[in-house]
Amino acid sequence: AARLGLLRCAVLLALTLPRASAVAPEGPSQQCADDAGPPWVDDVEHFGVHGDYFDASPASVVGDGDDCPAPLATACAAKGKRAAFLAGPIDCDEKGWFCRIARQDGFVPSDGFRDSNYAHCNRTDADESDADGHCHGSDSDSTYGWWVRDHWFRGYAGLLTCCCDWQALKGLTNRCDYRRPVASGKDLETCRDANEDHGMSYEGTCAAYADAAFDDPALRHDGASCWSVSKFADPEAAGIEEERTTKDDSRAATSAAPRSRPRAFGGPATFFLTHALWNLSRLWWQPLL
């Protein structure tokens, strides 16, 4: 009877574990060979069972209160604003997303701003310029957290502003890099760099949309489909001397929202749960002493 009770408790535990992620972003993995940072599958080893790679950084969400933009509402409810903004998942109705990293005074890489690749279309010389920052996006919502993680560890430091809708780049910027989605299986096993060698970057130019009014969704009054993070990037990767906060201080300073840290099946948590159930099954079959 005692052993049956233990087994029942184990089953109930498995059924009641919330199904969010203990790693950032949530799986399945889309991390390619050339992505910066430690292997995603080793996050528990590097950052702890309840940790995220950005916990000790000075990164903070822009905006007061606990309200989240609609594309991040579900993620915010599950893990708090900071983790949601930096890891997603996002829900842009499968229209994709784009992010722009702008130079931020006081948080500039030691070797200068990295990989400035676009200009806004409200510049008179837009198609001859790449001076406004780094732009990157995708037409797949699922790629968001994987791009953030890669560029975080590349040290692409600055003010991060992201918006929904890959197609909204038309008339907004002259160009923008693209990250393709990576499927599980052979695609993941052979992927070198999801940011390159696909021919899908946006190269629409500003001249092609010269008759359209310039409209930056991040500057709209409601800003419903955009979000921003200050001091984006790993300070160490960027060569920035920055005081690193503790995990608890970081979370308290950036969001008062509840931050449950349940684990996703298929991720590192599966190992711990499986191990516990295995031990209980052994106990079940052992004869009583």
Side-chain angles (χ1 to χ4, degrees), residues 2-3 6 277-288:
R3 287 176 292 179
L6 284 173
L277 290 173
W278 168 248
N279 285 330
L280 285 171
S281 68
R282 291 176 61 193
L283 178 62
W284 170 262
W285 291 109
Q286 284 176 352
L288 286 172

Side-chain angles (χ1 to χ4, degrees), residues 226-282:
C226 300
W227 56 97
S228 296
V229 176
S230 177
K231 294 187 175 181
F232 173 82
D234 176 37
E236 183 177 351
I240 298 174
E241 293 294 333
E242 184 78 22
E243 181 179 354
R244 299 179 72 82
T245 61
T246 67
K247 186 186 302 183
D248 291 339
D249 289 344
S250 171
R251 290 174 179 170
T254 55
S255 177
R259 180 173 170 80
S260 61
R261 297 303 296 154
R263 269 83 67 197
F265 290 94
T270 307
F271 168 80
F272 297 110
L273 179 58
T274 304
H275 187 67
L277 290 173
W278 168 248
N279 285 330
L280 285 171
S281 68
R282 291 176 61 193

Side-chain angles (χ1 to χ4, degrees), residues 59-280:
S60 61
V61 302
V62 176
D64 298 327
D66 296 331
D67 292 340
C68 275
L72 286 167
T74 300
C76 285
K79 61 185 71 171
K81 285 182 71 172
R82 187 171 186 251
F85 279 37
L86 286 168
I90 62 171
D91 182 1
C92 289
D93 295 324
E94 290 304 323
K95 294 180 180 179
W97 55 274
F98 63 93
C99 292
R100 291 163 286 172
I101 304 173
R103 178 188 176 94
Q104 183 173 7
D105 290 343
F107 200 73
V108 180
S110 57
D111 55 353
F113 187 85
R114 296 180 179 176
D115 196 15
S116 191
N117 68 354
Y118 85 98
H120 286 114
C121 288
N122 59 351
R123 294 176 64 108
T124 56
D125 63 342
D127 285 335
E128 289 75 47
S129 176
D130 60 4
D132 285 340
H134 182 78
C135 182
H136 215 124
S138 178
D139 56 4
S140 172
D141 292 1
S142 70
T143 60
Y144 172 74
W146 299 101
W147 173 83
V148 169
R149 181 186 176 106
D150 171 53
H151 278 49
W152 174 275
F153 285 112
R154 288 180 188 267
Y156 281 29
L159 175 65
L160 175 74
T161 300
C162 301
C163 300
C164 285
D165 195 356
W166 174 248
Q167 296 299 319
L169 288 166
K170 297 176 180 178
L172 177 63
T173 69
N174 59 345
R175 68 170 315 279
C176 192
D177 288 348
Y178 177 89
R179 184 175 178 101
R180 73 171 181 87
V182 180
S184 299
K186 185 175 181 180
D187 188 22
L188 179 62
E189 293 170 4
T190 60
C191 178
R192 182 188 65 84
D193 191 339
N195 302 311
E196 297 180 354
D197 302 327
H198 43 56
M200 298 183 69
S201 293
Y202 174 71
E203 304 284 353
T205 77
C206 291
Y209 301 94
D211 294 335
F214 180 78
D215 181 20
D216 188 340
L219 300 179
R220 293 175 189 166
H221 176 68
D222 56 6
S225 65
C226 300
W227 56 97
S228 296
V229 176
S230 177
K231 294 187 175 181
F232 173 82
D234 176 37
E236 183 177 351
I240 298 174
E241 293 294 333
E242 184 78 22
E243 181 179 354
R244 299 179 72 82
T245 61
T246 67
K247 186 186 302 183
D248 291 339
D249 289 344
S250 171
R251 290 174 179 170
T254 55
S255 177
R259 180 173 170 80
S260 61
R261 297 303 296 154
R263 269 83 67 197
F265 290 94
T270 307
F271 168 80
F272 297 110
L273 179 58
T274 304
H275 187 67
L277 290 173
W278 168 248
N279 285 330
L280 285 171

